[in-house]
Amino acid sequence: MKVILAEKYGFCAGVRNAISTAEKVLAEKGRVYSLGPIIHNPDVVERLAQKGLVTVDSVEQIPAGATALIRSHGAALEEISHLRRKNVDIIDATCVLVKRVQQIAAQMEREGYKVVIVGDRNHPEVRAVVGCTQGAVVAGDEADIKTIGDGRLGIVCQTTQSPEFFGRMLNAIVITGFSEMRVINTLCKEAIKRQQAAIDLCLKVDIMFVLGGLDSANTRKLAELCKKYNSRTFHLQNWDEFDKKLVFGCRTAGVTAGASTPQWIIDEFVKKLENIEI
Amino acid sequence: MKVILAEKYGFCAGVRNAISTAEKVLAEKGRVYSLGPIIHNPDVVERLAQKGLVTVDSVEQIPAGATALIRSHGAALEEISHLRRKNVDIIDATCVLVKRVQQIAAQMEREGYKVVIVGDRNHPEVRAVVGCTQGAVVAGDEADIKTIGDGRLGIVCQTTQSPEFFGRMLNAIVITGFSEMRVINTLCKEAIKRQQAAIDLCLKVDIMFVLGGLDSANTRKLAELCKKYNSRTFHLQNWDEFDKKLVFGCRTAGVTAGASTPQWIIDEFVKKLENIEI
């Protein structure tokens, strides 16, 4: 069948940097600890695990004096201090855009703003940004906003959210009431371009495939967005999850992928999909 | 019929101050020029005209050395300078909240922000705020926002707009794209309370009357809002415009009034409406 790739898709600069950093350090050290999965893609995590990357949930699990990688989502100040106390060699692969959010949040707090992070409170990026401040709060929905209170608000957004979500939360803040807010646009422009490219492609094809880890927030968001523009949208991790019944009656398929989806998974998927006879 | 007044309605502090200032100065001077109608209520304008208040459209129409009143909506810097050059005695009755918007807009511009005023570009308050800056722009709808461009935005709102409108415009700015915005809540809390009281009343009555000048932006906005919650809403200037046919089949009527509607008009309306037999 005819397969069209989105104009922008797949690994972003932050993910690419985290992986190449991990590969370089693994080549030197043989064993490196990653505080949480390096990216939300099981295929990549598995491949790096074979090279010596050990994924742990907390600093406690990292031996004193070992080497630890801070993934692209970043880490909280408390975790960094804990690693230092354990004399762990820290390799920081935090995405530069995420680092910027952390720095802006901390700076605004020093300037007396009550810091609000618009995003998903369970996402590691958001948890790390909160962990770089004394008392930042997360606004994940309208109910959270009712609890923020009236003060000078310093507002940032999780990098991979959509402008629509960011705008909706600001709208809710205005309706709930505020005195002053300083809002810094911390959305990743690359992520927005991918979202736009995915929408454009959705409108041209019979069926849409969004490739990436089922735990990957940005891939899930991309799939939800595509679903709005093409109801025949499927979020698959890789070719193993493909079923020929899905494409019944379709002539053209669109393919996009989350920021944590490696090129080899996309290439394999596209090649095999092109070979499907319709 | 049974008539219920909204919990908050009628003259706001800014309007009350402008009228009492005008009356005081008229008692001393006999003739005072008002740059535009002192408030958007023909009954009040007519009453003050009889006491010597002359309403003019521009500074050109004010004789040198005369006394001029700046109404609650304020005036542009250029108009103030022009009055000074003509040696006119200036009585400033600008509403304190409007003055605050002017000062914030000018201050943010000095700090390097591109100033955006959310509101109606034809409203005298908005024109005066623009006139207190070098290059502020007005955002009255989504189309305006597309032309703002990407910079450090300093955002204020016309005092009598609703939080819903202010929020919708900020949402549009986020979706269009921005780098940084500093937003100061310049909405009049009193106006918001009146809007809320009007909504509450709409839900309790068979018919709703919103009293005030047809040119009064805040009265028109109040009437539009009421219409959403009670489709049998009528915006009347005073009792002269009442028609018994309107209340056919109604047992209870609600009454509210814009910030520029004098108490005597409301009292007369309520009294006569109560005497209507149903």
Side-chain angles (χ1 to χ4, degrees), chain A residues 184-235:
Chain A
I184 311 288
N185 192 350
T186 55
L187 292 171
C188 169
K189 285 188 184 152
E190 205 49 43
I192 297 171
K193 279 185 198 159
R194 278 141 204 261
Q195 289 163 8
Q196 195 49 57
I199 293 171
D200 293 348
L201 184 53
C202 276
L203 304 174
K204 291 181 196 156
V205 295
D206 300 322
I207 187 167
M208 188 74 190
F209 291 102
V210 181
L211 304 179
L214 301 179
D215 280 347
S216 156
N218 84 79
T219 311
R220 279 212 309 270
K221 217 158 290 153
L222 201 56
E224 279 164 29
L225 191 70
C226 287
K227 195 103 189 161
K228 281 190 199 162
Y229 294 87
N230 189 323
S231 59
R232 213 159 172 170
T233 292
F234 297 91
H235 175 180

Side-chain angles (χ1 to χ4, degrees), chain A residues 31-202:
Chain A
R31 171 170 290 237
V32 175
Y33 291 83
S34 174
L35 202 48
I38 181 165
I39 60 172
H40 286 123
N41 188 285
D43 298 290
V44 174
V45 170
E46 173 56 29
R47 208 164 77 154
L48 289 170
Q50 285 168 13
K51 294 184 182 175
L53 190 68
V54 183
T55 301
V56 295
D57 294 330
S58 70
V59 177
E60 279 78 17
Q61 296 165 268
I62 301 176
T67 299
L69 180 92
I70 306 300
R71 56 185 172 172
S72 55
H73 310 94
L77 283 180
E78 176 48 36
E79 291 173 310
I80 303 285
S81 308
H82 195 169
L83 287 171
R84 287 206 180 115
R85 286 196 302 273
K86 289 180 84 166
N87 205 24
V88 167
D89 186 17
I90 301 169
I91 310 291
D92 190 357
T94 307
C95 163
V96 288
L97 294 183
V98 174
K99 202 86 184 167
R100 180 174 169 255
V101 188
Q102 296 178 347
Q103 286 161 347
I104 290 170
Q107 177 64 29
M108 289 208 291
E109 197 168 61
R110 279 194 294 274
E111 290 173 11
Y113 288 97
K114 177 165 193 177
V115 174
V116 179
I117 300 148
V118 172
D120 173 3
R121 68 177 67 254
N122 296 315
H123 193 276
E125 175 191 325
V126 174
R127 287 211 308 264
V129 175
V130 170
C132 289
T133 67
Q134 299 298 313
V137 294
V138 180
D141 56 28
E142 277 82 355
D144 288 337
I145 282 165
K146 292 209 167 63
T147 67
I148 292 174
D150 191 32
R152 287 172 71 224
L153 307 177
I155 304 176
V156 290
C157 192
Q158 182 183 350
T159 56
T160 50
Q161 293 290 345
S162 66
E164 285 71 20
F165 178 71
F166 196 9
R168 212 173 76 219
M169 291 298 111
L170 289 189
N171 180 34
I173 290 171
V174 175
I175 288 171
T176 305
F178 75 106
S179 58
E180 179 184 337
M181 54 178 161
R182 186 148 170 250
V183 192
I184 311 288
N185 192 350
T186 55
L187 292 171
C188 169
K189 285 188 184 152
E190 205 49 43
I192 297 171
K193 279 185 198 159
R194 278 141 204 261
Q195 289 163 8
Q196 195 49 57
I199 293 171
D200 293 348
L201 184 53
C202 276

Side-chain angles (χ1 to χ4, degrees), chain B residues 227-238:
Chain B
K227 196 105 187 159
K228 281 189 198 162
Y229 294 87
N230 189 322
S231 59
R232 212 157 172 171
T233 292
F234 297 92
H235 175 182
L236 306 182
Q237 199 161 296
N238 51 38

